[in-house]
Amino acid sequence: MSTTTTTSGSGTPAGNAPARSGKPGVSELVSWKAGIGLSLLAILGTVLFGFMSNSKSAGFGIAEAANEAASNVAAWVTLVLALLLSAWLGYLWFVRRRSGQVPGWLPAATVAAVVVLGLAALGVAKVVRITVPSAAIGWICAVVLLGLAGYTVYLTQAKRTIPRWVGGTFAALFLIGFMVWIVAHGNDAEPSISLAGLIAGSVTLAVPLVFGSLSGVLCERVGVVNIAIEGQLLLGAFSAAVVATVTHNVYAGLVAAAVAGALVSLVLAVVSIKYLVNQIIVGVVLNVLISGLTSFLFSTLLTADPEGLNKPGRLPPVDIPFLSDIPIIGPILFHQSLVGYLMYIAVIVVYLGLFHTKWGLRVRAVGEHPQAADTVGINVNRTRFWNVLMGGAIAGIGGSFFTLVSVDAFSKDMSGGRGYIALAALIFGRWNPIGAFLAALLFGFADNLQSVITIIGSPVPSQFMAMLPYALTVFAVAGLVGRSRPPAASGIPYVKG
């Protein structure tokens, strides 16, 4: 929904959309999408968290330390470092804001430092359980949500830019209110869940989604739509299981998974880039082909000799010294398998490569304007080819999670459509590695929450939680929670002429 307004005078108008012109008498398009979207969510939150709240309390358990002495030291060190980092980042944010040059990473880094500071404080205080009154918290969240939505509408009406903190604060409060509301509706007199277990399970479930979404980022940033992520994950899982079993080496299985994912991408690249076949059709065909192929091989070979072909073993979890002893966040983030740590490395490397290297500049140029990239000497199709291969290798590593970490055997279609969920995370994350990572964590959180609410007996249908991330993706694509635009040349083959 949009309205056209006219400005006069020397003031420069601002709104959700960039101003077309600051000259008097020039029409501008002011978007009401954010105001309408947040208002609808605020009304929903008021109904759920306020009017549908009950008198129960909601409990959130925090995991106790495995090593009390080590966790004490880690908690104090983390508290001091997080305090210093929060103060420095806050000061840097204040100074940069006065000069009008705030880098995009600074607000997020400041918020992350403050969150770590709070968690470290809980560890120092040895808090093992937090109990809150659901009705009071629900109404507080509802009132603040309505206030933020009203503020957004006011800024839009005044043609002023909506600060990023508004959306971030709104999302955090909605999540808090939602969690308290769900837990309070459990069957027990004082229902509670393990918050640390919920988050740890969410990170684990998000691992293949993160790898799949990073594969999509690498491909779409050069203009190739990678629908074949599902096939890359599935073939990676199959190859990891077979090779690890035959060689009796799980690390060989991990390498085989990367190679298998790259082979799927090789077919995608050759057919769509060289022969200009529709990329979406090629991706769908590859998914169906690999699903049928792996199911056939599983039924004919793996089930006939499971001990010799389908007993790969598992990658053991590894604790990082000191970091794994940090209360709350240590066991969640730093008690991972090799695939989990590779996930962190892949996110950082892809982000820095895309936005802070000459290679990344060329990749983004190919995805946005291949003709212009060609004129400055960049080989467009070769760049696309290699990026698609890298994306496939990354997705293949994500597929190894199913057979080397999650379970120790391959089964039919065990990827369970997570390649398509990774595509949704890619869109929700706005084709950015960090955004895709956070979106994948959200999807993993929703997936894990389905099991939790079933255990505590909450009347909220688990199917509702399953659809929630997709509903948020629709909001993101529609622009209700911000602008979401793919690379301009995504899905368009390039013919040099």
Side-chain angles (χ1 to χ4, degrees):
M1 178 177 178
S2 303
T3 59
T4 303
T5 62
T6 304
T7 62
S8 60
S10 58
T12 302
N16 297 45
R20 301 288 182 180
S21 173
K23 298 179 181 180
V26 177
S27 295
E28 296 171 359
L29 192 63
V30 178
S31 175
W32 283 86
K33 290 180 179 180
I36 293 174
L38 295 186
S39 297
L40 292 175
L41 289 175
I43 294 172
L44 175 63
T46 302
V47 173
L48 294 179
F49 315 150
F51 292 107
M52 296 182 65
S53 62
N54 57 29
S55 58
K56 292 183 180 180
S57 296
F60 299 91
I62 299 174
E64 297 183 11
N67 187 327
E68 191 68 30
S71 293
N72 249 358
V73 174
W76 277 106
V77 173
T78 305
L79 180 69
V80 173
L81 292 177
L83 180 60
L84 295 175
L85 185 60
S86 300
W88 179 71
L89 289 173
Y91 170 75
L92 187 61
W93 189 358
F94 175 76
V95 172
R96 293 291 184 90
R97 187 174 182 181
R98 293 183 64 182
S99 64
Q101 297 178 346
V102 180
W105 60 267
L106 186 55
T110 305
V111 172
V114 172
V115 170
V116 172
L117 176 63
L119 295 176
L122 291 176
V124 169
K126 295 184 173 59
V127 176
V128 296
R129 179 187 170 95
I130 299 174
T131 303
V132 296
S134 62
I137 295 297
W139 276 111
I140 290 173
C141 290
V143 170
V144 178
L145 289 175
L146 290 172
L148 290 173
Y151 182 56
T152 303
V153 171
Y154 164 74
L155 292 178
T156 305
Q157 178 66 36
K159 300 184 290 294
R160 293 168 57 187
T161 302
I162 299 174
R164 291 184 178 181
W165 65 264
V166 173
T169 305
F170 189 97
L173 286 173
F174 193 93
L175 179 61
I176 292 172
F178 187 71
M179 289 297 302
V180 171
W181 175 69
I182 281 183
V183 174
H185 280 77
N187 288 335
D188 297 339
E190 292 186 359
S192 65
I193 63 172
S194 172
L195 190 60
L198 175 63
I199 299 175
S202 303
V203 174
T204 301
L205 291 173
V207 170
L209 303 181
V210 172
F211 280 105
S213 61
L214 288 179
S215 173
V217 168
L218 284 173
C219 293
E220 294 214 21
R221 279 291 180 175
V222 290
V224 178
V225 178
N226 186 6
I227 302 294
I229 297 175
E230 177 74 9
Q232 293 162 356
L233 291 174
L234 190 58
L235 191 60
F238 177 85
S239 302
V242 173
V243 173
T245 304
V246 172
T247 62
H248 304 288
N249 190 321
V250 290
Y251 301 103
L254 185 63
V255 174
V259 173
L263 288 176
V264 179
S265 281
L266 178 63
V267 178
L268 173 65
V270 170
V271 175
S272 64
I273 297 175
K274 182 176 178 59
Y275 296 104
L276 309 180
V277 179
N278 185 283
Q279 298 167 7
I280 296 177
I281 293 177
V282 175
V284 172
V285 169
L286 284 173
N287 288 337
V288 175
L289 173 64
I290 292 168
S291 175
L293 177 63
T294 54
S295 296
F296 170 75
L297 294 175
F298 173 78
S299 300
T300 56
L301 296 179
L302 271 61
T303 55
D305 185 15
E307 293 296 328
L309 294 174
N310 200 17
K311 290 292 182 181
R314 289 189 179 184
L315 287 167
V318 178
D319 288 334
I320 296 182
F322 179 78
L323 294 179
S324 61
D325 292 322
I326 298 175
I328 305 172
I329 60 176
I332 295 173
L333 298 179
F334 305 111
H335 180 73
Q336 296 283 341
S337 66
L338 176 60
V339 177
Y341 292 123
L342 286 176
M343 174 186 70
Y344 301 144
I345 295 172
V347 172
I348 295 171
V349 170
V350 172
Y351 175 79
L352 293 178
L354 282 177
F355 298 105
H356 297 279
T357 65
K358 184 177 179 181
W359 168 80
L361 181 61
R362 291 181 174 182
V363 165
R364 288 180 286 125
V366 168
E368 291 292 341
H369 203 307
Q371 291 85 0
D374 195 2
T375 58
V376 296
I378 300 175
N379 191 317
V380 173
N381 285 335
R382 185 172 64 187
T383 302
R384 288 184 169 184
F385 191 91
W386 286 112
N387 259 55
V388 171
L389 286 185
M390 284 190 293
I394 288 177
I397 295 174
S400 69
F401 169 86
F402 297 111
T403 48
L404 300 183
V405 179
S406 181
V407 296
D408 59 352
F410 180 82
S411 59
K412 286 185 179 181
D413 293 323
M414 67 184 310
S415 55
R418 286 178 177 82
Y420 300 108
I421 300 176
L423 280 174
L426 163 69
I427 297 171
F428 191 57
R430 302 181 185 182
W431 292 268
N432 183 293
I434 303 296
F437 171 72
L438 296 176
L441 289 181
L442 173 63
F443 279 54
F445 180 81
D447 193 9
N448 199 30
L449 194 56
Q450 293 181 63
S451 304
V452 173
I453 63 176
T454 301
I455 293 172
I456 66 175
S458 176
V460 180
S462 60
Q463 293 83 356
F464 175 78
M465 294 306 307
M467 77 175 190
L468 184 60
Y470 301 99
L472 293 176
T473 303
V474 172
F475 285 142
V477 175
L480 295 180
V481 291
R483 187 184 180 192
S484 183
R485 184 188 68 83
S490 181
I492 304 174
Y494 178 70
V495 180
K496 186 172 183 178

